[in-house]
Amino acid sequence: GNSVTQMEGPVTLSEEAFLTINCTYTATGYPSLFWYVQYPGEGLQLLLKATKADDKGSNKGFEATYRKETTSFHLEKGSVQVSDSAVYFCALTSYTGTASKLTFGTGTRLQVTL
Amino acid sequence: NAGVTQTPKFRVLKTGQSMTLLCAQDMNHEYMYWYRQDPGMGLRLIHYSVGEGTTAKGEVPDGYNVSRLKKQNFLLGLESAAPSQTSVYFCASRPTGGNQPQHFGDGTRLSIL
C-alpha cells in the first residue's frame, strides 16, 4: 500500500537558518504530493503541493520538488523565522474507486529559536 | 468565511458513554473526511463521504459510525467510548477534482477516562 516516511523530529533551528525536512514515499501510479502545516492548537493547512514529476511547489518561502526517480518530496526554506515553528506533514493522494484519500507521514515538529 | 467548523472543541467522556462530533462546512464541498491524530502516528482516516447520503470506511473505522444526511454536515459517532479512542479528531472537506486539497477544521480533543 501507499506510505509516507518523514524524518524524525523535533528539528530545532536558529532564526535565519536553512531548513530541510526529508520526505519519501511509496505509492502505485502517479500520486499528487502535499505539505501541510499545523500550528499549535489549529488544524492542518495546505502549505504547497505538486501534482506531477519535476513539479516544484512553493509558498511563503517554502519549496519542495516532486522527484519521481528518488520518490522524494523534501521541504526546504532558505531562512526560517520563529513564526515557522509548527508541525509539518508530508502527504500523498491515492485513488480508490470513488474518492481520493490522503496518506500522511507522522509529522515533523520544527522549533525555531531567536 | 467559516470554512470547516468542528464542535465541540474539547470533551471528556467516561468509558461506555456515547457522543457525536459535528463537522460543518460552508464551502459546498462534496467530499468530507474524519481523521484521528495520535502522537507519532500522523493522521489516520476513520470514515469519509463522497456526497450527501453516502459514507465509506477508512483505515481505522472500528468503534465509529458516521452519517451525512445533509451535504454540509458530517457527523462522527462513538456508540460506546473506549480509552483507546482518546485522540484529537479532525474533519476535512474538499471539492471535486482529483488534485484539490483538503480543508481542515481546528480539531476536537476527546479524552476517554
Side-chain angles (χ1 to χ4, degrees):
Chain A
N2 296 333
S3 66
V4 175
T5 302
Q6 289 182 236
M7 62 187 292
E8 291 286 332
V11 174
T12 303
L13 295 173
S14 299
E15 199 170 44
E16 299 184 1
F18 184 85
L19 168 71
T20 300
I21 299 178
N22 291 336
C23 171
T24 57
Y25 67 90
T26 301
T28 56
Y30 303 95
S32 294
L33 302 173
F34 302 84
W35 277 101
Y36 281 83
V37 58
Q38 183 179 31
Y39 298 102
E42 298 183 11
L44 278 70
Q45 304 173 23
L46 178 67
L47 181 59
L48 54 84
K49 71 176 185 180
T51 59
K52 61 183 186 297
D54 300 325
D55 266 4
K56 177 184 286 188
S58 61
N59 185 26
K60 299 181 181 179
F62 291 89
E63 294 182 340
T65 301
Y66 189 164
R67 301 288 189 196
K68 189 170 177 61
E69 64 275 14
T70 55
T71 62
S72 64
F73 193 53
H74 304 322
L75 182 67
E76 297 182 335
K77 186 175 185 182
S79 176
V80 294
Q81 305 299 312
V82 172
S83 57
D84 294 327
S85 298
V87 181
Y88 293 82
F89 291 91
C90 185
L92 63 81
T93 52
S94 60
Y95 298 89
T96 56
T98 56
S100 68
K101 304 176 188 177
L102 280 174
T103 299
F104 288 90
T106 54
T108 302
R109 182 176 300 277
L110 170 66
Q111 181 70 44
V112 181
T113 60
L114 290 172
Chain B
N1 279 341
V4 178
T5 303
Q6 292 183 231
T7 53
K9 296 188 183 304
F10 305 95
R11 186 73 183 269
V12 179
L13 291 178
K14 294 181 180 179
T15 298
Q17 288 185 316
S18 63
M19 80 161 295
T20 300
L21 280 63
L22 173 63
C23 176
Q25 53 96 3
D26 62 0
M27 297 172 284
N28 201 36
H29 287 173
E30 289 294 330
Y31 299 141
M32 296 187 75
Y33 306 81
W34 275 107
Y35 295 90
R36 59 178 290 173
Q37 183 181 29
D38 301 294
M41 302 186 75
L43 277 76
R44 294 180 292 169
L45 182 64
I46 304 171
H47 286 282
Y48 64 99
S49 169
V50 301
E52 181 178 316
T54 73
T55 62
K57 293 180 179 180
E59 183 185 356
V60 288
D62 293 343
Y64 305 95
N65 57 76
V66 287
S67 63
R68 183 98 182 268
L69 298 179
K70 294 183 179 181
K71 185 177 184 179
Q72 63 268 34
N73 296 335
F74 194 31
L75 279 63
L76 178 70
L78 285 72
E79 292 184 346
S80 180
S84 61
Q85 295 177 304
T86 294
S87 187
V88 181
Y89 292 85
F90 287 98
C91 177
S93 71
R94 74 168 185 87
T96 54
N99 296 319
Q100 294 295 324
Q102 294 184 17
H103 300 255
F104 285 81
D106 287 343
T108 295
R109 184 174 296 276
L110 184 61
S111 294
I112 315 297
L113 304 179

